[in-house]
């Protein structure tokens, strides 16, 4: 009985179509091709380069420092490197409320003491990344719109 079904061309065609559709649906939900748009991740990733994005990974694992992620923020798609993972500390210099440069956590107190007293608009900001967020930066630091502008994601 089963052998006769396998020999039936309609059954074989239907099996091929449903197998292909199921495979494409599953593949599209697990990973997808993405084209790098912009220079913020150079030299690691070049503008126009195609990369495969694993859409399943963070359902089972926590984000780690150094990983490159793709995310949507205010309707735009970004590709950045995780600089600080959930719960990690971050220190940076700010002037008039705007980001100036990152500071190693171990140097934060020294930098704070070295700031000129007359420049009250400059301060060292220390923060902890929320448990459900990450702090991201582009590898091309000067050409990247990232957490320095929009905060933890």
């Amino acid at each position: 009985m089963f052998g006769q079904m396998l020999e039936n061309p309609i059954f074989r065609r239907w099996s091929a179509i449903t197998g292909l559709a199921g495979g494409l649906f599953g593949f599209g939900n697990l990973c997808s091709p993405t084209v790098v748009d912009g220079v913020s991740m150079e030299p690691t990733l070049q503008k126009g380069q195609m990369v495969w994005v694993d859409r399943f990974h963070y359902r089972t694992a926590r984000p780690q420092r150094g990983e490159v992620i793709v995310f949507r923020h205010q309707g735009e798609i970004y590709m950045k490197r995780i600089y600080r993972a959930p719960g990690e500390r971050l220190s940076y210099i700010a002037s008039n409320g705007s980001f100036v440069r990152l500071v190693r956590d171990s140097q934060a107190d020294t930098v704070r003491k070295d700031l000129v007293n007359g420049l009250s608009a400059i301060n060292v900001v220390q923060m902890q990344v929320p448990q459900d967020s990450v702090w991201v930066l582009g590898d091309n630091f000067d050409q990247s719109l990232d957490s320095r502008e929009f905060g933890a994601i």
Side-chain angles (χ1 to χ4, degrees):
M1 170 86 173
F2 187 69
Q4 289 175 343
M5 279 187 0
L6 291 177
E7 292 176 11
N8 185 333
I10 295 173
F11 177 79
R12 285 196 316 234
R13 185 175 302 144
W14 179 251
S15 297
I17 291 171
T18 57
L20 181 62
L24 290 175
F25 176 77
F27 184 73
N29 283 322
L30 297 178
C31 63
S32 62
T34 302
V35 176
V36 177
D37 182 26
V39 297
S40 71
M41 286 302 293
E42 288 182 351
T44 307
L45 300 171
Q46 304 296 316
K47 183 176 182 178
Q49 180 179 352
M50 187 175 81
V51 296
W52 287 95
V53 177
D54 180 350
R55 298 173 62 169
F56 186 73
H57 180 73
Y58 292 116
R59 294 180 191 170
T60 60
R62 289 182 54 90
Q64 300 296 314
R65 185 189 304 187
E67 293 177 336
V68 175
I69 61 171
V70 176
F71 60 95
R72 187 177 301 274
H73 178 71
Q74 295 182 347
E76 297 290 325
I77 296 175
Y78 294 90
M79 188 175 297
K80 306 292 177 194
R81 186 173 305 279
I82 297 174
Y83 181 73
R84 289 289 187 261
E88 292 185 335
R89 295 191 56 74
L90 171 74
S91 300
Y92 62 92
I93 297 174
S95 175
N96 295 320
S98 296
F99 178 92
V100 175
R101 73 177 177 91
L102 292 165
V103 179
R104 288 192 179 100
D105 291 336
S106 62
Q107 297 174 325
D109 290 332
T110 305
V111 170
R112 185 178 287 115
K113 291 174 187 173
D114 290 344
L115 292 175
V116 180
N117 290 335
L119 300 175
S120 60
I122 297 178
N123 62 348
V124 176
V125 177
Q126 291 183 297
M127 63 171 282
Q128 184 168 359
V129 178
Q131 287 297 326
D132 62 346
S133 302
V134 291
W135 186 274
V136 296
L137 297 173
D139 288 356
N140 187 352
F141 205 69
D142 294 331
Q143 300 292 317
S144 180
L145 179 63
D146 47 40
S147 288
R148 295 172 293 168
E149 296 291 327
F150 48 71
I153 56 142

